Amino acid sequence: GAVVSQHPSRVICKSGTSVKIECRSLDFQATTMFWYRQFPKQSLMLMATSNEGSKATYEQGVEKDKFLINHASLTLSTLTVTSAHPEDSSFYICSARDAPYNSPLHFGNGTRLTVT
Amino acid sequence: AQTVTQSQPEMSVQEAETVTLSCTYDTSESNYYLFWYKQPPSRQMILVIRQEAYKQQNATENRFSVNFQKAAKSFSLKISDSQLGDTAMYFCAFMRAGGTSYGKLTFGQGTILTVHP
């Protein structure tokens, strides 16, 4: 079945540094990917929609300069948390869909980011 | 904007019994999808069941079934013959149908379900 690989699964970084998270579709081409953020025991909140070859669309309240999204190929989207601070510590999950309308959605395994 | 509400933060059930998780939503859309996702301790999001709003028939997947009441904007999940492996957080989710909205999910707050032996 279709698989979305997210890397790394865990990352610890120091305050002020940047962290890149990768979301890769392994056996299908994902023209659109989505990035969500989840705090412990809370819901998933959509951060942005990543479109191959064009700028990402950010949800209201999400700082686009803080959370840089790049979708340079049909199989890879990256989320870079720039100048990370402890409040950016969270669980980040990506999802992807294949090109045909009504195709199922596939989630990555998530990345736990801890900023010290 | 859409909203999804799960009013039960936690539920528990004995193994082999039946449990129902509640979900209500608010939207002005006429065509949309509703989902239940399971998130076990591994944090992997697992699709449990999906319902298209234009279908009147309630979706079923083995031990999982939904009660979709479109007029009431209610979408509850029934788990029959509960198993220990059903222990997880369950999210109800809404998605508009069509165009660029396809794939953008609005999640409820989640319900932590614990199945006791």
Side-chain angles (χ1 to χ4, degrees):
Chain A
V3 176
V4 171
S5 174
Q6 191 171 337
H7 179 81
S9 57
R10 291 174 181 264
V11 58
I12 301 172
C13 71
K14 292 187 176 180
S15 187
T17 62
S18 295
V19 174
K20 181 184 286 189
I21 302 169
E22 291 187 350
C23 181
R24 196 180 296 271
S25 58
L26 297 184
D27 57 358
F28 67 99
Q29 293 183 331
T31 55
T32 305
M33 293 185 176
F34 304 90
W35 288 96
Y36 294 85
R37 181 175 183 175
Q38 184 182 28
F39 290 105
K41 294 190 177 182
Q42 293 190 28
S43 186
L44 284 76
M45 301 298 294
L46 179 66
M47 298 175 66
T49 301
S50 173
N51 301 297
E52 188 270 334
S54 64
K55 290 183 179 181
T57 305
Y58 290 82
E59 296 300 303
Q60 192 172 10
V62 177
E63 298 177 62
K64 60 182 180 182
D65 295 330
K66 175 77 168 175
F67 299 100
L68 298 179
I69 291 172
N70 185 276
H71 195 154
S73 78
L74 284 170
T75 59
L76 176 65
S77 175
T78 60
L79 169 68
T80 301
V81 183
T82 62
S83 186
H85 291 284
E87 56 266 29
D88 299 323
S89 298
S90 191
F91 192 69
Y92 295 87
I93 309 175
C94 70
S95 73
R97 65 177 178 92
D98 203 345
Y101 173 71
N102 208 30
S103 58
L105 302 171
H106 306 284
F107 281 86
N109 286 340
T111 297
R112 178 177 298 284
L113 170 64
T114 303
V115 184
T116 62
Chain B
Q2 291 71 230
T3 59
V4 179
T5 303
Q6 293 177 248
S7 58
Q8 306 154 314
E10 295 188 39
M11 293 280 285
S12 64
V13 64
Q14 292 295 126
E15 196 175 8
E17 293 188 346
T18 296
V19 64
T20 298
L21 307 184
S22 301
C23 173
T24 58
Y25 61 95
D26 190 24
T27 184
S28 58
E29 302 288 332
S30 58
N31 196 15
Y32 50 87
Y33 299 87
L34 295 165
F35 304 84
W36 278 97
Y37 280 92
K38 169 184 176 181
Q39 188 180 44
S42 67
R43 308 294 290 270
Q44 174 69 44
M45 295 294 287
I46 301 168
L47 177 65
V48 175
I49 203 163
R50 159 179 146 156
Q51 174 82 43
E52 288 91 342
Y54 65 88
K55 290 186 178 179
Q56 293 186 343
Q57 186 173 7
N58 290 323
T60 63
E61 284 288 341
N62 301 313
R63 298 182 295 109
F64 300 89
S65 62
V66 297
N67 184 0
F68 174 46
Q69 301 290 327
K70 190 173 183 178
K73 295 180 181 174
S74 170
F75 184 62
S76 61
L77 174 70
K78 185 172 81 171
I79 306 175
S80 304
D81 186 25
S82 296
Q83 300 176 359
L84 297 177
D86 294 334
T87 293
M89 191 154 187
Y90 286 80
F91 290 100
C92 178
F94 172 99
M95 183 176 73
R96 291 173 58 190
T100 57
S101 294
Y102 191 85
K104 295 175 66 172
L105 295 168
T106 301
F107 288 90
Q109 303 91 326
T111 298
I112 299 173
L113 174 67
T114 304
V115 181
H116 297 284

